[in-house]
Amino acid sequence: MKNTFLRVFLVVLLSNIVVVSIGLGMVQFIQKRNQVSADLLGDVGVQLVAGYEKFGITSLQEETEKAEKRLSGTIYLYQENGRPLLKALPRNFREQNTPSATSRPSADFLHSQFIQVIGGDNVQYLLIFKPNPEISSLAPEAVVGFSLLGLLVSSGVLAYWLLGPLLKLQRVARSFGQGDMTARVENKLARRSDAVGKLAREFNEMAVRIDTLLSSKERLMRDVSHELRTPLARIEVALTIAEDKYGTEAQRGYLNRIRTELHELDELIGQVLTLSRLEAASLIKEEVDLQDFLGDIVEDVSFESQLKGISVTKIGRAPKTILGDPLQLRHAIENVLRNACFYAGCNGVIEVETQEKAGTAFIYVRDNGPGVSDDKLEKIFHAFYRSSEAREANSGGFGVGLTISQRIISAHKGQISAKNRQEGGLEVCFQLPVA
């Protein structure tokens, strides 16, 4: 932290020095630009005095006018007795250029040049040259402009120096948060000896620990799934043998109940395994023809539900294309659609509608089932949450399917929500970005 403070202090100090140096340089440059060299002014004075002494006051005025245009200023010429040969100084010239209380001359007095000229018979003249005020008036604006330019440059350097490493950290943290477990801060930044470098190293250490934990969790879930499914398969084989050879009618009923429970347990294990894989899943996105994609899903679910007399219809023709992983999206939508068929029951009516609003694809799945209490609409997307007593008693489910759907849609930067319909039933809405 001390090193960071020292660096920031040095950068700010250097920036201020640069700005002040530029300002002083510009002031000196403009002052020198308005000054006329003493040699040149002396030659002009000698020529004017010589012309005056030889040709008179008319010649002096003409030559003075030419010299003023060439030098961009005003020339005043006085004899040694104080009599002006040309126009006299303004009455307020001395008052305006009187040294202030701090004994410092004002701007005009400071910028005016005084040359003593020796004429014929050693007569002395005093030539006063005052630079053109129009040129001087540009000086403050130029100084302010270049000072602002210096401040902008120094501020940009300071901002880049301070924010550059933080922006790199932000990009890496965002990638890591979006599921890229290999995202790490580059070594050049992590090797810094200041607070930024320390933060980068701690981030890398944290990322390694989280990656290790997630890998361990995924491996554990695979092992648990394998260990649970193996005895389940053996139990089902034993059930089949018992039914064929030794089971009575009543016993076969109990054996069927055990088989049903085994299938549900096997399905649950599969869903939990899928849920764990979604944490580290990398989506393979591509452009998907949404209408054909949904048409295939509706056709498959309709075929599966035809024995219950369930009607599944699809309406809407927009949007045409979305960007996503077809396999994962199919899994998410099928979960919700089969869930709707289950709760709608025999002769249920399911409706799948698509719309496009402001660059977002909306997919609505509506059923005419019992719906869900309003205070539990958000909780049905939580894993292992039982939505209501009615659904709990009939379904025997554990609420993992909707959780899987939610995580898949979130991985596609979309949203999923549910609400009760006014005419009865539940409406689940998918929101996905259009390609």
Side-chain angles (χ1 to χ4, degrees), residues 19 22-23 33 54 57 62-63 67 71 83 141 146 155 191 194 199 224 246 248 280 282 294 316 360 395 414:
V19 172
I22 292 175
R33 181 184 175 188
K54 188 174 181 180
I57 190 67
E62 293 175 354
E63 294 299 325
L71 301 179
R83 188 175 69 86
E141 298 176 358
F146 279 95
S155 300
R191 283 198 299 267
D194 55 8
L199 178 61
V224 169
Y246 309 107
T248 63
S282 57
L294 285 179
T360 302
S395 67

Side-chain angles (χ1 to χ4, degrees), residues 8 20 24 35 58 78 87 114 130 138 171 179 183 195-196 204 241 261 267 305 319 356 367 372 377 404 410:
V8 172
V20 172
L24 292 177
Q35 294 287 330
T58 303
Y78 286 82
K87 55 183 174 292
F114 299 85
K130 183 180 179 182
L138 297 176
R171 286 194 293 269
V196 176
N204 284 344
I241 295 173
E261 298 294 339
E267 184 180 356
S305 306
E356 180 177 355
D367 65 54
V372 180
L377 285 173
I404 293 174
S410 297

Side-chain angles (χ1 to χ4, degrees), residues 312-330:
V312 183
T313 57
K314 174 183 171 302
I315 58 177
R317 297 182 177 277
K320 295 293 184 183
T321 308
I322 61 173
L323 183 64
D325 187 325
L327 182 62
Q328 298 292 345
L329 287 177
R330 183 182 183 91

Side-chain angles (χ1 to χ4, degrees), residues 37-317:
S37 68
D39 294 339
L40 176 60
L41 202 57
D43 293 341
V44 171
V46 170
Q47 292 176 3
L48 292 178
V49 169
Y52 166 69
E53 291 180 343
K54 188 174 181 180
F55 301 105
I57 190 67
T58 303
S59 175
L60 174 62
Q61 292 174 346
E62 293 175 354
E63 294 299 325
T64 300
E65 185 176 355
K66 295 177 182 178
E68 287 178 340
K69 291 181 179 178
R70 187 170 72 252
L71 301 179
S72 298
T74 305
I75 295 175
Y76 304 91
L77 187 62
Y78 286 82
Q79 287 183 322
E80 59 184 1
N81 57 3
R83 188 175 69 86
L85 298 179
L86 299 170
K87 55 183 174 292
L89 287 169
R91 289 186 176 182
N92 59 351
F93 181 84
R94 185 175 297 278
E95 296 174 358
Q96 291 175 353
N97 295 283
T98 300
S100 61
T102 58
S103 300
R104 298 181 62 180
S106 61
D108 286 341
F109 186 83
L110 178 64
H111 296 154
S112 297
Q113 294 175 260
F114 299 85
I115 298 294
Q116 185 180 21
V117 181
I118 305 299
D121 300 332
N122 292 324
V123 178
Q124 297 184 2
Y125 299 84
L126 177 62
L127 184 147
I128 303 174
F129 176 74
K130 183 180 179 182
N132 196 341
E134 283 74 12
I135 295 178
S136 300
S137 62
L138 297 176
E141 298 176 358
V143 170
V144 171
F146 279 95
S147 298
L148 289 176
L149 179 62
L151 283 174
L152 288 175
V153 173
S154 61
S155 300
V157 173
L158 180 60
Y160 178 79
W161 186 84
L162 287 176
L163 296 181
L166 296 180
L167 291 177
K168 291 180 181 178
L169 278 172
Q170 184 187 29
R171 286 194 293 269
V172 174
R174 185 185 297 116
S175 299
F176 190 80
Q178 291 175 348
D180 184 6
M181 295 294 106
T182 62
R184 300 290 186 276
V185 181
E186 59 185 6
N187 293 330
K188 181 180 178 182
L189 184 58
R191 283 198 299 267
R192 290 175 55 149
S193 58
D194 55 8
V196 176
K198 186 178 180 181
L199 178 61
R201 290 192 294 275
E202 290 183 351
F203 175 85
N204 284 344
E205 293 174 1
M206 178 198 70
V208 171
R209 287 197 296 272
I210 292 177
D211 189 20
T212 303
L213 287 174
L214 291 177
S215 299
S216 301
K217 176 187 173 185
E218 187 178 358
R219 186 168 54 253
L220 175 64
M221 295 302 297
R222 286 199 303 268
D223 295 341
V224 169
S225 173
H226 179 267
E227 294 300 328
L228 289 177
R229 281 180 160 172
T230 301
L232 288 178
R234 293 171 185 158
I235 292 173
E236 185 161 2
V237 172
L239 284 174
T240 303
I241 295 173
E243 285 178 338
D244 291 343
K245 294 185 178 180
Y246 309 107
T248 63
E249 192 64 29
Q251 288 173 331
R252 288 179 181 175
Y254 290 116
L255 292 175
N256 283 332
R257 178 61 184 268
I258 294 173
R259 177 176 285 105
T260 302
E261 298 294 339
L262 286 177
H263 288 170
E264 290 183 357
L265 184 57
D266 184 69
E267 184 180 356
L268 174 63
I269 293 173
Q271 289 180 343
V272 172
L273 187 59
T274 302
L275 189 62
S276 66
R277 286 173 177 170
L278 283 177
E279 297 288 352
S282 57
L283 301 178
I284 304 176
K285 293 184 178 181
E286 59 183 69
E287 290 190 355
V288 179
D289 188 324
L290 181 61
Q291 302 305 322
D292 292 342
F293 177 71
L294 285 179
D296 293 340
I297 295 176
V298 169
E299 184 178 354
D300 291 344
V301 175
S302 296
F303 180 78
E304 297 169 3
S305 306
Q306 58 183 333
L307 295 179
K308 296 181 180 179
I310 297 175
S311 169
V312 183
T313 57
K314 174 183 171 302
I315 58 177
R317 297 182 177 277

